[in-house]
Amino acid sequence: MKNLWNDADAQKMVADYAKKGVGRDLALRVYTTRLLGGEPRLVLHGGGNTSCKTKATDLVGDEWDVLCVKGSGWDMAVIEPQGLPAVKMDALLKARRLEKLSDEDMVALQRSNLIDPASPNPSVETLLHAFLPHKFVDHTHSTAILAIVDQEDSRALVRTVFGDKMGYVPYIKPGFDLAKVAAEVFDADPSVEGLILDKHGIFTFGDDARQAYDRMIHYVNVAEDHVAKNGKPPAAKAALPARLAKPSDIAPTLRGAVAVSRGEGRFDRMISDFRTSDAIVDFINSAKIADYAGRGVSTPDLSIRIKTGPMAVPAPDADKLGDYKAVIRSRVRAFVKDYTAYFEANDALDDVKRTMLDPMPRLTLVPGLGMFGHGRTLKDARIASDVGEMWIEAVRGAEAIGNFHPLSKADLFPLEYWSLEQAKLASNKPKPLTGQVVLITGGAGAIGAATAKLFAANGAHAVIVDLDPAKAAEAAKAAGNSSIGVGADITNPAEMRAAFDKAVAVFGGVDILVSNAGAAWEGRIGELDDATLRKSFELNFFAHQSAAQNAVRIMQEQGTGGVLLFNTSKQAINPGPKFGAYGIPKAATLFLSRQYALDYGAYGIRSNAVNADRIRSGLLTDAMIASRSGARGVSEKEYMSGNLLGQEVTAEDVAQAFLHQALAERTTADVTTVDGGNIAAALR
Ligand SMILES: [Zn+2]
């Protein structure tokens, strides 16, 4: 691993922060924390922390000795001084005299001694940093170090690899007890330059930021060199099918299998993030992959991301895809059974009240293809994949020099079910559509964009399909929540299919279709040329049918139901003069919606239509409003609010109706009217 310290960069950071009133100690603490945080082989998604002992002044001007230590929720790669809250040292040091300190009391002690009470919670490893005397302390979960400590006889190996310059700390759950034992190990030999924490990671320290950082990189290199010089070749590879299926062939089935059933056809779904590379596939193709996966996580805090470890499934044979669905479901059932047994056995050991987390895997390893990270949001799914890559690094190294032997699951349990983590999860309420994927055609138009925005605000990830890729991307950005834009001519079946493939590639599947794209052609029906009517049917009927066909194909693979929503317009009920080319295919689409409700209800797939009228959009532009209101001799405002309520109806009102239909879990074959009231167009 390369040492990235650069004097000029360090001095520049000191000078830049000095202008903002931040002292040299904290500026350099930020500098090397970012160097460590930028390297995934050291630090990943909150797994690691740093500190420095310095002085801070409170609001009344009193100066205190403080520990500035990484606050929870901050990413080390982009940390700022406020991500290293200052805690008064005196109180922290006094805590070492205590016999016992619960996790809750430890947090209370740390919070009540913050200089700024608005700071984030100081790291759970704060006391360990405080009890060591050095000015700068660095801590990482380096994959190279894990290869050494995740061995059965790790104590002897640590001695062989690092000599007596590093102290050895046996595994203890992070918190007060670990801090005390680590400090005792240091006190027994204060000449050490760092501590190796069994099954967990490494601490290094020094009198200045550079010394602590140099030592971290040095000892990580010692570990890397040991693995490189002593590594044996990897285990034999498993035989793969002659023809492998593609990731998109299995993604919806897998995504459906890991959804949590709430019973009665209701599900909490997850997003799947597919990740692959030569290194990933090479490792996952090992004949021993299921064995490795079953042994557990490489460092305990990964359990918050991937539970007790990954799930391995067999390689999918393209010629036997029909059977593969059952294989995936049986593997997920086995994972759930093991996880439930792990929870029940460990929960029974004391009287603490715990709620079992959902038992689904968060990382699936597929030989021949790569891996899928699963999470309630795309961000969580990607984090699971990131963690998977580092798990592979650590296991590969551990197996090269011995046998991967991580922390036992019994010892992992108190960390996964740490009371403070449980409280955090309980406060993290999902939104109504969290975990769901909505594909919206005509997604960059007024109604499509408003619908995407509303669905994204309610937790869904939107796939915005539009003829114009730039506008689709723009609407996706406006919708937020990691939504994506896809350019496609949806009257071309291959382009429609590609849009759904993209949804599967990015999110793992589709749960909601909003089939919204449409365009109007005018002309008296008796004189209309066939080509115009056929063109209208392509977009206003066949594109809806093609979208729905793709959606139900994916929904049936997922096996978790779904909903089709069609924009059918008032013309489907109440024709307007010279509007036949538009209204006739829309009437067919209204019945298309009912046909899907009838044919797919048994699969939990619902189908509804929204019947909207007079909305400002690409179909009813400001110029058209001016000309039509002028022709009728009314103002534009009167024209737009010419309904029973006397109010203009907006794209947001239509979006609200789609959302209602998506959320109403027992509503299918429904038509919802959004027109401010028009008796002639009212449904009977
Ligand atoms: Zn740690």
Side-chain angles (χ1 to χ4, degrees):
M1 180 166 292
K2 219 175 146 215
N3 186 317
L4 299 175
W5 177 280
N6 176 298
D7 276 330
D9 289 351
Q11 287 321 314
K12 185 173 184 313
M13 198 160 284
V14 170
D16 288 351
Y17 275 118
K19 288 177 207 149
K20 296 176 188 163
V22 174
R24 181 184 170 82
D25 289 347
L26 195 50
L28 289 171
R29 181 65 286 174
V30 167
Y31 174 62
T32 57
T33 300
R34 286 186 192 169
L35 292 185
L36 296 169
E39 172 53 67
R41 283 171 184 78
L42 292 176
V43 163
L44 201 61
H45 300 296
N49 41 64
T50 59
S51 69
C52 78
K53 296 176 184 79
T54 183
K55 289 189 186 298
T57 308
D58 66 18
L59 288 173
V60 293
D62 287 343
E63 198 182 56
W64 298 86
D65 285 327
V66 294
L67 179 77
C68 288
V69 61
K70 204 205 100 172
S72 89
W74 278 84
D75 179 346
M76 283 170 63
V78 293
I79 202 148
E80 293 288 345
Q82 61 270 32
L84 291 150
V87 196
K88 294 172 190 167
M89 271 299 285
D90 246 9
L92 297 179
L93 290 175
K94 277 185 197 159
R96 198 175 162 188
R97 293 187 220 138
L98 300 173
E99 275 300 310
K100 274 191 169 348
L101 185 63
S102 71
D103 291 334
E104 288 77 7
D105 286 347
M106 180 180 76
V107 171
L109 172 80
Q110 291 168 184
R111 283 214 68 84
S112 60
N113 283 285
L114 285 165
I115 294 290
D116 175 1
S119 299
N121 271 345
S123 159
V124 58
E125 277 151 346
T126 293
L127 291 176
L128 205 166
H129 286 260
F131 295 169
L132 295 166
H134 308 79
K135 193 169 175 69
F136 285 82
V137 178
D138 295 6
H139 169 50
T140 74
H141 299 161
S142 149
T143 54
I145 300 290
L146 292 172
I148 310 281
V149 296
D150 284 344
Q151 299 288 341
E152 191 156 15
D153 192 9
S154 47
R155 180 188 283 266
L157 187 61
V158 165
R159 191 54 65 222
T160 308
V161 176
F162 302 105
D164 52 11
K165 286 292 198 60
M166 294 295 277
Y168 172 87
V169 183
Y171 180 78
I172 297 170
K173 183 172 85 83
F176 177 69
D177 296 339
L178 173 61
K180 273 187 84 157
V181 171
E184 281 157 22
V185 170
F186 173 79
D187 288 348
D189 181 4
S191 73
V192 296
E193 297 178 347
L195 300 171
I196 300 287
L197 274 59
D198 194 27
K199 317 291 185 224
H200 175 164
I202 174 173
F203 277 78
T204 56
F205 26 73
D207 300 332
D208 58 48
R210 175 155 192 185
Q211 190 177 42
Y213 174 76
D214 282 351
R215 285 173 172 175
M216 177 63 71
I217 302 303
H218 170 71
Y219 286 107
V220 167
N221 278 321
V222 168
E224 280 182 357
D225 288 349
H226 180 85
V227 174
K229 286 193 189 112
N230 299 282
K232 56 184 194 294
K237 299 276 187 280
L240 295 177
R243 259 174 23 92
L244 274 168
K246 295 194 294 292
S248 58
D249 293 334
I250 65 163
T253 299
L254 177 59
R255 178 167 179 260
V258 301
V260 179
S261 169
R262 288 187 282 117
E264 307 282 316
R266 302 175 214 262
F267 297 91
D268 286 337
R269 298 161 173 95
M270 286 198 277
I271 302 301
S272 291
D273 170 58
F274 180 68
R275 183 83 53 97
T276 193
S277 70
D278 289 348
I280 291 171
V281 172
D282 184 65
F283 182 80
I284 292 177
N285 286 356
S286 166
K288 291 171 77 178
I289 192 62
D291 172 19
Y292 298 156
R295 290 187 214 169
V297 290
S298 47
T299 181
D301 85 333
L302 297 193
S303 66
I304 288 150
R305 304 299 186 181
I306 59 168
K307 311 185 82 71
T308 50
M311 171 179 79
V313 297
D317 188 332
D319 299 317
K320 291 179 189 158
L321 263 179
D323 306 334
Y324 196 68
K325 201 168 182 165
V327 172
I328 285 194
R329 290 193 179 272
S330 85
R331 288 299 172 108
V332 172
R333 266 199 307 277
F335 187 95
V336 167
K337 198 169 156 238
D338 288 351
Y339 186 85
T340 308
Y342 149 85
F343 175 82
E344 286 170 354
N346 289 291
D347 184 50
L349 299 177
D350 59 28
D351 294 334
V352 177
K353 256 192 140 24
R354 301 180 183 91
T355 310
M356 189 175 87
L357 302 167
D358 84 65
M360 290 299 172
R362 292 297 190 275
L363 186 67
T364 301
L365 311 178
V366 191
L369 301 187
M371 59 190 185
F372 290 89
H374 312 293
R376 290 281 275 151
T377 63
L378 182 64
K379 187 176 168 214
D380 285 347
R382 284 182 175 157
I383 288 176
S385 301
D386 291 347
V387 162
E389 288 197 64
M390 290 307 115
W391 177 84
I392 287 174
E393 288 262 339
V395 180
R396 187 198 290 120
E399 281 291 309
I401 55 165
N403 285 302
F404 174 56
H405 184 90
L407 190 66
S408 75
K409 290 185 182 166
D411 282 329
L412 187 66
F413 182 79
L415 205 120
E416 190 185 0
Y417 283 87
W418 194 41
S419 59
L420 301 172
E421 283 299 329
Q422 290 252 295
K424 216 192 291 175
L425 291 168
S427 67
N428 198 1
K429 284 267 174 289
K431 293 177 177 170
L433 294 176
T434 292
Q436 300 209 38
V437 181
V438 58
L439 185 142
I440 304 171
T441 67
I447 292 173
T451 303
K453 218 174 198 169
L454 186 62
F455 276 57
N458 279 275
H461 296 300
V463 178
I464 294 170
V465 183
D466 203 275
L467 196 53
D468 183 335
K471 283 189 179 153
E474 212 174 282
K477 204 171 160 211
N481 200 26
S482 311
S483 297
I484 59 165
V486 181
D489 172 2
I490 58 167
T491 60
N492 175 337
E495 291 191 30
M496 179 73 92
R497 167 79 194 215
F500 277 88
D501 286 350
K502 181 80 183 170
V504 170
V506 176
F507 299 109
V510 172
D511 308 290
I512 305 165
L513 166 69
V514 180
S515 191
N516 164 67
W521 285 269
E522 288 185 72
R524 207 150 56 170
I525 193 72
E527 292 133 48
L528 199 64
D529 67 277
D530 259 14
T532 303
L533 189 57
R534 285 179 196 279
K535 199 166 148 189
S536 179
F537 259 92
E538 284 300 334
L539 181 62
N540 292 316
F541 175 75
F542 282 106
H544 290 281
Q545 158 67 350
S546 150
Q549 271 188 330
N550 276 288
V552 297
R553 169 177 55 79
I554 294 168
M555 288 169 185
Q556 285 180 286
E557 285 170 21
Q558 290 170 164
T560 50
V563 58
L564 313 174
L565 305 174
F566 298 90
N567 186 347
T568 58
S569 151
K570 164 251 186 192
Q571 297 299 325
I573 309 294
N574 173 232
K578 298 184 187 163
F579 240 43
Y582 181 58
I584 294 164
K586 282 289 193 181
T589 297
L590 179 68
F591 269 72
L592 183 74
S593 168
R594 293 184 172 180
Q595 196 66 47
Y596 271 98
L598 181 62
D599 287 348
Y600 292 91
Y603 300 92
I605 298 172
R606 301 180 289 117
S607 178
N608 297 309
V610 166
N611 166 26
D613 191 26
R614 216 168 279 186
I615 316 291
R616 279 181 207 272
S617 68
L619 258 67
L620 182 60
T621 60
D622 290 346
M624 288 157 78
I625 293 167
S627 104
R628 287 189 199 169
S629 55
R632 294 185 193 193
V634 296
S635 71
E636 284 182 33
K637 191 171 167 14
E638 282 168 325
Y639 175 74
M640 290 308 289
S641 56
N643 55 46
L644 298 178
L645 296 174
Q647 303 284 355
E648 179 172 346
V649 185
T650 66
E652 285 72 22
D653 294 313
V654 183
Q656 202 66 54
F658 280 132
L659 180 66
H660 158 74
Q661 289 182 331
L663 294 175
E665 288 180 314
R666 292 296 181 262
T667 296
T668 190
D670 170 58
V671 184
T672 295
T673 302
V674 189
D675 62 3
N678 173 356
I679 284 300
L683 285 155
R684 286 202 265 176

